[in-house]
Amino acid sequence: MSLNDVWFLLIAVLWTGYFVLDGFDFGVGMLLPAVARDETDRRVALGTIGPVWDGNEVWLIVAGGATFAAFPEWYASLFSGFYLALLLVLVALILRGIALEYRNKIDDGRWRRVWDRILVGSSVAPALLFGVAFANLARGVPLDADHEYTGTLLTLLNPYALLGGVTLVALFALHGAVFLALKTSGDVRVRARTAAIRAGVAVVPLGGAFLLWTALGYGPSWLLVPVVIAAAALVVATVLAGRDRDGWAFTATVAAIVAVVVTLFGSLYPDVMPSSTDPAHSLTVTNAASTPYTLTIMTWVAAVFTPIVLAYQAWTFWVFRRRLDRSTVGTEVGLPPRRTEATAR
């Protein structure tokens, strides 16, 4: 296996980590109206991701940086061709961070409702756009001989890609609901379990159709294995969520996300950006890669710092491992204290 292949696998691992970790952040954000009935409930739900959401986004930054360094040609064609879609993702991620930080700055119900709506929208949008983007990569996009994207935004909005986007939204909703059930007690947990069952009922047929379309239409025959694993994991997660087995349900949604990423990246290899215009114009792990010297240096850097990052993030989750309820919200779960007239004075 060459370093080109190693870095293709590492980028797939980085995207897997991002979808697993920030996936439940997106799910919690988009499900906020369904699991919270008042401000205390909302603080309980948001308290589950308060200490970790910004750290989870680091996986996206590292995935983008690794793509730039390891496969600069892929990075250039991807970001130029998907420029508007990726700009919308960036705007949504910025708005999500602002909503999480600013909703408690003023003790006013209308103020919070505005930011909560922004939080819901900025949680759905990235999931939808990431699904559309990865589906288009699996399907292939129009590239010319210079590896320049020749399509338009409407080219990316094809039925297969839109199905991929909707599937990822439903998958993250299930993942976030199961995470909420795992991390909370009381009414929020009960509503989260109900939301998990509803999301599971939606994502099983959507995910099955999308992944089967991917395996049969754009990938080798062995992709049927992760497709079956993903479908089984989604069914198991839905069933376990209804039986109060939150930990195992969360494990099942993680397995489903891993299987989805394996299916998508497996449909690409040995390409990194297939050309629908002419296969000869496709970007591959060979013609899009950096020099061997660059990849060697990157490999040593990754070998040293990746365990440190993993250990730090594992420690963070361990520190904030307990369940939250209506009596445990505030600064101890990473949220700013709720401002009142008394505290203002």
Side-chain angles (χ1 to χ4, degrees):
M1 179 181 292
S2 68
L3 285 178
N4 301 26
D5 299 325
V6 169
W7 275 97
F8 179 80
L9 289 174
L10 286 177
I11 289 172
V13 169
L14 290 171
W15 277 105
T16 302
Y18 177 67
F19 283 166
V20 168
L21 295 174
D22 218 17
F24 62 68
D25 295 336
F26 290 139
V28 171
M30 67 179 71
L31 291 174
L32 191 62
V35 299
R37 294 293 181 266
D38 57 23
E39 176 58 20
T40 303
D41 282 349
R42 285 188 283 272
R43 290 174 69 84
V44 170
L46 295 179
T48 63
I49 63 173
V52 298
W53 69 268
D54 48 354
N56 293 341
E57 284 191 350
V58 171
W59 288 77
L60 175 63
I61 297 170
V62 176
T67 304
F68 172 76
F71 299 100
E73 191 81 12
W74 183 15
Y75 182 93
S77 297
L78 178 65
F79 276 74
S80 60
F82 292 21
Y83 181 81
L84 181 56
L86 294 174
L87 178 62
L88 292 175
V89 169
L90 179 61
V91 170
L93 292 177
I94 292 172
L95 288 175
R96 184 182 65 145
I98 295 174
L100 287 167
E101 295 294 337
Y102 274 65
R103 68 178 307 279
N104 291 297
K105 295 297 184 182
I106 298 177
D107 188 24
D108 179 74
R110 182 177 180 183
W111 169 271
R112 292 196 186 96
R113 284 193 297 273
V114 170
W115 286 114
D116 287 345
R117 293 190 186 101
I118 293 174
L119 176 61
V120 173
S122 59
S123 297
V124 173
L128 178 67
L129 293 168
F130 279 131
V132 169
F134 273 97
N136 274 292
L137 285 179
R139 178 177 180 265
V141 294
L143 296 176
D144 60 19
D146 295 323
H147 301 148
E148 296 284 344
Y149 178 76
T150 59
T152 64
L153 178 62
L154 293 179
T155 306
L156 303 178
L157 302 179
N158 54 80
Y160 169 73
L162 292 174
L163 177 60
V166 174
T167 297
L168 201 60
V169 170
L171 177 58
F172 286 167
L174 172 61
H175 192 45
V178 171
F179 178 77
L180 271 175
L182 179 65
K183 292 286 293 178
T184 60
S185 303
D187 292 340
V188 173
R189 185 187 181 204
V190 172
R191 298 187 194 109
R193 289 171 58 194
T194 301
I197 295 171
R198 292 174 178 173
V201 170
V203 76
V204 168
L206 286 171
F210 172 69
L211 293 175
L212 196 61
W213 192 344
T214 303
L216 297 180
Y218 306 113
S221 58
W222 66 265
L223 286 183
L224 289 173
V225 175
V227 168
V228 172
I229 293 174
L234 291 173
V235 173
V236 169
T238 304
V239 172
L240 292 177
R243 296 185 177 182
D244 201 20
R245 304 295 297 274
D246 305 324
W248 286 109
F250 185 75
T251 302
T253 58
V254 170
I257 291 173
V258 173
V260 168
V261 176
V262 169
T263 303
L264 291 171
F265 275 82
S267 67
L268 285 175
Y269 186 82
D271 295 332
V272 293
M273 198 166 183
S275 172
S276 59
T277 305
D278 186 340
H281 300 164
S282 298
L283 286 168
T284 69
V285 294
T286 301
N287 65 19
S290 293
T291 64
Y293 183 71
T294 300
L295 295 178
T296 301
I297 294 176
M298 290 175 58
T299 302
W300 282 108
V301 172
V304 172
F305 288 100
T306 300
I308 298 174
V309 173
L310 291 175
Y312 172 77
Q313 195 151 32
W315 175 78
T316 302
F317 279 98
W318 175 256
V319 170
F320 295 100
R321 66 189 180 277
R322 64 174 177 155
R323 290 180 183 268
L324 304 180
D325 57 32
R326 293 176 65 88
S327 65
T328 54
V329 292
T331 55
E332 71 272 24
V333 294
L335 290 173
R338 181 174 178 177
R339 294 191 54 167
T340 63
E341 292 297 325
T343 59
R345 290 194 295 267

